Amino acid sequence: MTAIKFGTDGWRGIIADDFTYANARIVAHAIARYVVRAEDARKGVIIGYDHRFAADTIAATVAETISATGTPVWLTDKPCPTPAISLLVRQRKAAGGLVITASHNPARWSGIKYKASYGSSALPSIVAQIETELAGVIENGLPPLPPQKNLIQKLDPRAPYIETIEKLVDWDRLRKAKFRYISDAMHGSAAGILPEIFKRNGIACDEIRGTRDPLFGGAHPEPIEPHIDPLRKAVLAGKCDVGFAADGDGDRIGAIDRDGSFINPHQIFALLVWHLVGTRQLEGEIAKTFSVTKLIDKLAAKYARKLHEVPIGFKYICELMLEQNILIGGEESGGIGTSMYLPERDATVSALLLAELMAWHNKTLGELLAALHKEFGEYHYGRVDLDLKPGQKEKAIAYFSGSKLKQILNLEVTNRENMDGIKLYLGNIGWVMVRASGTENLLRVYSETSKPDTTKKVLAAVTDIVHRL
């Protein structure tokens, strides 16, 4: 049996290879054991699923496995976004939640995400306990416990989710703005939700890729280029003012401006900070991960808000949001959370807030971004993932950590930081960062400078250095 590794947001595997019914039962039983030992299992567990192959039947199998431990289960009656399960866990004060999903991974993947009782990703301390239970189940096998089907109830996940998040924005402003919207569900489980919320409030919103397709139309369900190109074409063809995209399980956002420009996650995060802190003047501090744009630093300084920088992974932002007054936190991959709602990423909430920002100023995202650049300077971000030979990524990290590298493209290396990977500052032009994947032979190279061409050249130069090591 392929080893099962339980990460921060759960376990993922290749369908029919290591992601099997048998392994799903093992993971589910380990989570159930954690819930029985560390939570109040009488409060029950909520189980949802996405649009992937056999996600519904895996969810039913997981529900039966958990019910066998005497734990009540609510099983959703339809696919739903992951944040809908997080919200239901919080609203129902459940002991936890599980979602059958592999998020933005390609179609051949599936997985099981675990959401803790506070309505977000499990903290490292919880993950450690689940891993201990998992090791015990793998060693000793599943106990011969029959399912207690009387403990399994059906649950509609969409209605309470929609009713909650539609209250976060000013619909009078949105109606008066008369912008044209289009949503791209990327064949994922957020399908239909954004158009329904707009329709409930008297605004039209078209949708593309809103049908269930376990193959995701042959693309990765990740709202970044090039996977988001169908949305660009739809925005331009329909003369829409903005297009919003959600990943496979609805927690990461991407956007396309009226002119077809891709609005990347850093820009989205900066625009939302500007809106919530600057325009709506909501109280609270700001959190970002180590690879996020320095524009956030400028915004935090202008509005005199404390900025927290944490290692890469939304779990670190979640932990801060649980402990401190964090208004908004974001990561490089498009996951953004706000204390107005949950310590959790949610693409639909981010889309609603972006629409409100546009309505507030009666400007497109591109026009608003231009205003930010005019005030704070331009920030252009890029990233490449290098598939390397075994041992090569370790050589690269060691090389960039050392003092031999004095400059890149005639740009002086003025400082280094090593919170998570190695970040090199290139004078007052920008920065470049290298970070090794913990599970694959990948080296991720990130860069941000004041000019798009410079960013591309820095990424190319670092790529060349790595390949020559």
Side-chain angles (χ1 to χ4, degrees), residues 448-463:
E448 180 179 65
T449 74
S450 57
K451 296 180 180 180
D453 285 347
T454 305
T455 299
K456 290 178 183 177
K457 289 176 181 177
V458 168
L459 290 172
V462 171
T463 298

Side-chain angles (χ1 to χ4, degrees), residues 84-279:
I85 298 301
S86 296
L87 178 66
L88 285 167
V89 167
R90 174 75 74 91
Q91 288 182 336
R92 289 175 167 261
K93 297 181 171 57
L98 291 84
V99 189
I100 311 304
T101 181
S103 189
H104 62 286
N105 282 39
R108 67 183 183 277
W109 290 80
S110 192
I112 300 176
K113 283 188 176 183
Y114 177 69
K115 297 299 177 179
S117 58
Y118 43 78
S120 191
S121 301
L123 298 178
S125 58
I126 295 175
V127 172
Q129 293 178 71
I130 293 175
E131 286 177 333
T132 298
E133 299 293 350
L134 182 60
V137 177
I138 291 173
E139 181 179 356
N140 300 315
L142 286 170
L145 299 173
Q148 298 186 46
K149 295 188 177 182
N150 61 305
L151 294 179
I152 302 174
Q153 300 179 55
K154 289 289 186 177
L155 174 68
D156 172 18
R158 293 169 70 102
Y161 175 63
I162 288 171
E163 289 168 6
T164 298
I165 66 177
E166 72 175 347
K167 296 174 183 176
L168 297 175
V169 295
D170 184 340
W171 287 105
D172 285 338
R173 286 186 187 273
L174 270 75
R175 281 188 288 269
K176 290 175 183 175
K178 297 182 179 179
F179 283 124
R180 295 190 63 183
Y181 306 96
I182 188 166
S183 172
D184 181 4
M186 303 190 82
H187 297 297
S189 55
I193 289 179
L194 194 60
E196 182 176 344
I197 293 173
F198 274 109
K199 182 179 178 181
R200 283 165 59 104
N201 289 278
I203 300 173
C205 177
D206 293 331
E207 185 173 60
I208 64 168
R209 296 194 284 185
T211 56
R212 177 179 180 265
D213 179 359
L215 297 178
F216 301 106
H220 293 185
E222 185 173 10
I224 60 173
E225 296 179 308
H227 317 305
I228 205 171
D229 195 53
L231 179 59
R232 173 183 288 109
K233 292 176 181 176
V235 166
L236 295 173
K239 297 182 179 179
C240 298
D241 296 296
V242 67
F244 299 118
D247 74 335
D249 72 330
D251 61 5
R252 297 181 177 194
I253 186 173
I256 295 290
D257 185 40
R258 176 194 289 166
D259 67 359
S261 300
F262 173 55
I263 308 296
N264 70 45
H266 302 262
Q267 295 166 338
I268 289 173
F269 184 30
L271 288 168
L272 290 181
V273 169
W274 188 39
H275 180 50
L276 298 184
V277 178
T279 305

Side-chain angles (χ1 to χ4, degrees), residues 184-452:
D184 181 4
M186 303 190 82
H187 297 297
S189 55
I193 289 179
L194 194 60
E196 182 176 344
I197 293 173
F198 274 109
K199 182 179 178 181
R200 283 165 59 104
N201 289 278
I203 300 173
C205 177
D206 293 331
E207 185 173 60
I208 64 168
R209 296 194 284 185
T211 56
R212 177 179 180 265
D213 179 359
L215 297 178
F216 301 106
H220 293 185
E222 185 173 10
I224 60 173
E225 296 179 308
H227 317 305
I228 205 171
D229 195 53
L231 179 59
R232 173 183 288 109
K233 292 176 181 176
V235 166
L236 295 173
K239 297 182 179 179
C240 298
D241 296 296
V242 67
F244 299 118
D247 74 335
D249 72 330
D251 61 5
R252 297 181 177 194
I253 186 173
I256 295 290
D257 185 40
R258 176 194 289 166
D259 67 359
S261 300
F262 173 55
I263 308 296
N264 70 45
H266 302 262
Q267 295 166 338
I268 289 173
F269 184 30
L271 288 168
L272 290 181
V273 169
W274 188 39
H275 180 50
L276 298 184
V277 178
T279 305
R280 292 186 56 171
Q281 298 183 355
L282 301 178
E283 294 297 321
E285 298 169 355
I286 303 166
K288 71 167 192 172
T289 54
F290 190 48
S291 58
V292 165
T293 174
K294 288 292 182 180
L295 180 52
I296 303 299
D297 303 53
K298 292 280 189 73
L299 286 161
K302 174 179 178 177
Y303 297 113
R305 300 297 177 92
K306 184 175 180 180
L307 176 64
H308 303 260
E309 190 169 53
V310 298
I312 294 170
F314 197 82
K315 61 182 178 181
Y316 299 108
I317 290 175
C318 171
E319 192 166 18
L320 272 178
M321 293 182 81
L322 292 172
E323 296 173 351
Q324 302 187 42
N325 181 24
I326 304 296
L327 170 62
I328 185 170
E331 59 180 353
E332 178 254 349
S333 62
I336 300 167
T338 168
S339 61
M340 300 166 57
Y341 168 55
L342 281 177
E344 174 71 298
R345 300 164 290 191
D346 192 319
T348 306
V349 168
S350 293
L352 290 174
L353 292 172
L354 286 174
E356 183 186 64
L357 166 63
M358 291 171 60
W360 204 291
H361 298 277
N362 199 30
K363 294 181 184 296
T364 66
L365 294 183
E367 291 168 338
L368 292 164
L369 189 60
L372 272 183
H373 283 169
K374 184 177 180 181
E375 181 174 359
F376 297 103
E378 295 195 22
Y379 292 81
H380 296 279
Y381 177 87
R383 170 182 142 185
V384 293
D385 291 350
L386 307 179
D387 193 355
L388 304 177
K389 297 176 182 177
Q392 199 172 358
K393 66 181 180 180
E394 289 79 9
K395 285 183 182 178
I397 293 295
Y399 179 77
F400 287 100
S401 301
S403 58
K404 289 183 179 180
L405 185 61
K406 301 293 185 183
Q407 61 181 29
I408 296 174
L409 288 179
N410 298 319
L411 300 172
E412 183 185 359
V413 176
T414 55
N415 192 25
R416 285 178 170 83
E417 290 179 347
N418 61 355
M419 176 184 286
D420 191 347
I422 306 297
K423 183 182 285 186
L424 310 179
Y425 288 88
L426 307 174
N428 59 358
I429 299 298
W431 53 269
V432 65
M433 174 178 154
V434 293
R435 178 176 179 266
S437 167
T439 56
E440 303 170 271
N441 288 314
L442 289 179
L443 185 76
R444 307 193 194 281
V445 184
Y446 315 75
S447 182
E448 180 179 65
T449 74
S450 57
K451 296 180 180 180

